[in-house]
PDB file of all heavy atoms in Angstrom:
ATOM      1  N   SER V 482      18.042  27.622   6.577  1.00 93.00           N
ATOM      2  CA  SER V 482      18.267  28.565   5.483  1.00 93.00           C
ATOM      3  C   SER V 482      18.104  27.886   4.126  1.00 93.00           C
ATOM      4  O   SER V 482      17.925  28.566   3.109  1.00 93.00           O
ATOM      5  CB  SER V 482      19.668  29.179   5.592  1.00 93.00           C
ATOM      6  OG  SER V 482      20.673  28.173   5.421  1.00 93.00           O
ATOM      7  N   LEU V 495      16.746  14.695  -4.834  1.00 96.00           N
ATOM      8  CA  LEU V 495      18.199  14.467  -4.824  1.00 96.00           C
ATOM      9  C   LEU V 495      18.552  13.222  -4.011  1.00 96.00           C
ATOM     10  O   LEU V 495      19.290  12.349  -4.481  1.00 96.00           O
ATOM     11  CB  LEU V 495      18.895  15.701  -4.252  1.00 96.00           C
ATOM     12  CG  LEU V 495      20.414  15.769  -4.303  1.00 96.00           C
ATOM     13  CD1 LEU V 495      20.847  17.230  -4.262  1.00 96.00           C
ATOM     14  CD2 LEU V 495      21.046  15.033  -3.119  1.00 96.00           C
ATOM     15  N   LEU V 556      38.443  17.829  -0.671  1.00 97.00           N
ATOM     16  CA  LEU V 556      38.743  16.613   0.076  1.00 97.00           C
ATOM     17  C   LEU V 556      39.954  16.819   0.997  1.00 97.00           C
ATOM     18  O   LEU V 556      39.945  16.400   2.158  1.00 97.00           O
ATOM     19  CB  LEU V 556      39.003  15.454  -0.883  1.00 97.00           C
ATOM     20  CG  LEU V 556      37.799  14.959  -1.695  1.00 97.00           C
ATOM     21  CD1 LEU V 556      38.257  14.026  -2.816  1.00 97.00           C
ATOM     22  CD2 LEU V 556      36.810  14.237  -0.784  1.00 97.00           C
ATOM     23  N   PRO V 571      39.750  12.476 -15.893  1.00 94.00           N
ATOM     24  CA  PRO V 571      39.519  13.803 -16.479  1.00 94.00           C
ATOM     25  C   PRO V 571      39.212  13.682 -17.966  1.00 94.00           C
ATOM     26  O   PRO V 571      39.902  12.976 -18.697  1.00 94.00           O
ATOM     27  CB  PRO V 571      40.854  14.515 -16.243  1.00 94.00           C
ATOM     28  CG  PRO V 571      41.872  13.418 -16.191  1.00 94.00           C
ATOM     29  CD  PRO V 571      41.168  12.224 -15.593  1.00 94.00           C
ATOM     30  N   ALA V 580      35.275   6.721 -23.942  1.00 93.00           N
ATOM     31  CA  ALA V 580      35.877   5.391 -24.074  1.00 93.00           C
ATOM     32  C   ALA V 580      37.401   5.461 -23.967  1.00 93.00           C
ATOM     33  O   ALA V 580      38.031   4.646 -23.283  1.00 93.00           O
ATOM     34  CB  ALA V 580      35.465   4.761 -25.397  1.00 93.00           C
ATOM     35  N   VAL V 585      42.373   4.610 -20.586  1.00 96.00           N
ATOM     36  CA  VAL V 585      43.634   5.088 -20.003  1.00 96.00           C
ATOM     37  C   VAL V 585      43.610   4.956 -18.485  1.00 96.00           C
ATOM     38  O   VAL V 585      44.629   4.668 -17.854  1.00 96.00           O
ATOM     39  CB  VAL V 585      43.883   6.558 -20.411  1.00 96.00           C
ATOM     40  CG1 VAL V 585      45.053   7.144 -19.633  1.00 96.00           C
ATOM     41  CG2 VAL V 585      44.149   6.659 -21.909  1.00 96.00           C
ATOM     42  N   GLN V 592      34.461  -5.947 -19.635  1.00 98.00           N
ATOM     43  CA  GLN V 592      33.737  -6.400 -18.451  1.00 98.00           C
ATOM     44  C   GLN V 592      32.559  -5.466 -18.183  1.00 98.00           C
ATOM     45  O   GLN V 592      32.649  -4.264 -18.451  1.00 98.00           O
ATOM     46  CB  GLN V 592      34.669  -6.419 -17.234  1.00 98.00           C
ATOM     47  CG  GLN V 592      35.851  -7.366 -17.379  1.00 98.00           C
ATOM     48  CD  GLN V 592      36.810  -7.280 -16.211  1.00 98.00           C
ATOM     49  OE1 GLN V 592      36.495  -6.709 -15.173  1.00 98.00           O
ATOM     50  NE2 GLN V 592      37.993  -7.866 -16.365  1.00 98.00           N
ATOM     51  N   PHE V 616      26.309   4.880 -25.801  1.00 96.00           N
ATOM     52  CA  PHE V 616      27.627   4.369 -25.393  1.00 96.00           C
ATOM     53  C   PHE V 616      27.474   3.308 -24.311  1.00 96.00           C
ATOM     54  O   PHE V 616      28.090   2.239 -24.372  1.00 96.00           O
ATOM     55  CB  PHE V 616      28.500   5.515 -24.894  1.00 96.00           C
ATOM     56  CG  PHE V 616      29.742   5.058 -24.179  1.00 96.00           C
ATOM     57  CD1 PHE V 616      30.837   4.596 -24.882  1.00 96.00           C
ATOM     58  CD2 PHE V 616      29.805   5.084 -22.792  1.00 96.00           C
ATOM     59  CE1 PHE V 616      31.979   4.160 -24.224  1.00 96.00           C
ATOM     60  CE2 PHE V 616      30.934   4.644 -22.125  1.00 96.00           C
ATOM     61  CZ  PHE V 616      32.030   4.187 -22.845  1.00 96.00           C
ATOM     62  N   GLU V 641       2.996  23.548  -9.208  1.00 90.00           N
ATOM     63  CA  GLU V 641       4.346  23.044  -9.447  1.00 90.00           C
ATOM     64  C   GLU V 641       4.955  23.689 -10.677  1.00 90.00           C
ATOM     65  O   GLU V 641       6.150  23.992 -10.705  1.00 90.00           O
ATOM     66  CB  GLU V 641       4.322  21.522  -9.595  1.00 90.00           C
ATOM     67  CG  GLU V 641       5.719  20.908  -9.569  1.00 90.00           C
ATOM     68  CD  GLU V 641       5.701  19.389  -9.493  1.00 90.00           C
ATOM     69  OE1 GLU V 641       4.622  18.794  -9.724  1.00 90.00           O
ATOM     70  OE2 GLU V 641       6.741  18.807  -9.200  1.00 90.00           O
ATOM     71  N   LEU V 693      10.232   7.661   0.447  1.00 97.00           N
ATOM     72  CA  LEU V 693       9.795   8.833   1.204  1.00 97.00           C
ATOM     73  C   LEU V 693       8.391   8.669   1.787  1.00 97.00           C
ATOM     74  O   LEU V 693       7.677   9.652   1.968  1.00 97.00           O
ATOM     75  CB  LEU V 693       9.832  10.079   0.294  1.00 97.00           C
ATOM     76  CG  LEU V 693      11.216  10.459  -0.256  1.00 97.00           C
ATOM     77  CD1 LEU V 693      11.085  11.469  -1.390  1.00 97.00           C
ATOM     78  CD2 LEU V 693      12.094  11.028   0.852  1.00 97.00           C
TER      79      LEU V 693
END
Side-chain angles (χ1 to χ4, degrees):
S482 65
L495 188 156
L556 292 168
V585 170
Q592 299 175 14
F616 167 78
E641 191 171 14
L693 298 166

